[in-house]
Amino acid sequence: VQLQASGGGLVQAGDSLRLSCTASGRTSSSRFMGWFRQAPGREREFVATINWRGGHEYYADSVKGRFTISRDKAKNMVYLQMNSLKPEDTAVYYCASAVSAILSSSSSSGAYEYWGQGTLVTVSS
């Protein structure tokens, strides 16, 4: 599975942004498609994930109610709609694919076998 993230940019606090992730290869083998982020000097953290087949969504508490993950199976795309952005959302955002993860591990970066290159989101105050 190859992943390509896009859509990052510089926005102001309160603005919205939509990230896209294009997946190619054996996408049908994915169980979860997730978004993670890494801010400067911090560890990579879970943002959201979606069950590729069933479409069930799961979020980190820090983004719940503001971010929405979705997928388009026909286009092999995963999206992250980010609303009410805050300066603390500033990070490089990565999309990732998990082939063998189960729900209980789907928020762990170690459960994801494939990663995109990341796209930078900068939120100014």
Side-chain angles (χ1 to χ4, degrees):
V1 179
Q2 294 80 45
L3 303 170
Q4 178 87 20
S6 62
L10 172 63
V11 297
Q12 293 186 331
D15 285 351
S16 298
L17 203 60
R18 188 176 84 154
L19 304 183
S20 300
C21 178
T22 303
S24 60
R26 295 189 62 185
T27 56
S28 60
S29 63
S30 296
R31 287 191 177 183
F32 292 92
M33 294 290 290
W35 287 96
F36 289 77
R37 66 187 181 186
Q38 187 166 17
R42 302 187 65 176
E43 293 188 354
R44 190 170 298 187
E45 66 174 0
F46 168 74
V47 176
T49 193
I50 187 166
N51 177 268
W52 186 248
R53 291 187 177 182
H56 301 292
E57 308 157 28
Y58 308 93
Y59 298 93
D61 288 343
S62 59
V63 306
K64 200 172 295 183
R66 299 188 298 123
F67 291 10
T68 302
I69 188 171
S70 62
R71 88 243 194 275
D72 185 329
K73 294 176 66 177
K75 296 181 179 179
N76 286 335
M77 298 286 293
V78 179
Y79 305 98
L80 185 68
Q81 177 66 42
M82 305 185 293
N83 298 329
S84 302
L85 282 161
K86 305 175 181 180
E88 51 263 44
D89 294 318
T90 295
V92 176
Y93 283 71
Y94 299 90
C95 61
S97 168
V99 174
S100 57
I102 57 175
L103 178 58
S104 60
S105 65
S106 62
S107 62
S108 171
S109 61
Y112 290 76
E113 295 90 346
Y114 303 98
W115 292 82
Q117 85 290 357
T119 185
L120 176 62
V121 174
T122 304
V123 185
S124 63
S125 57

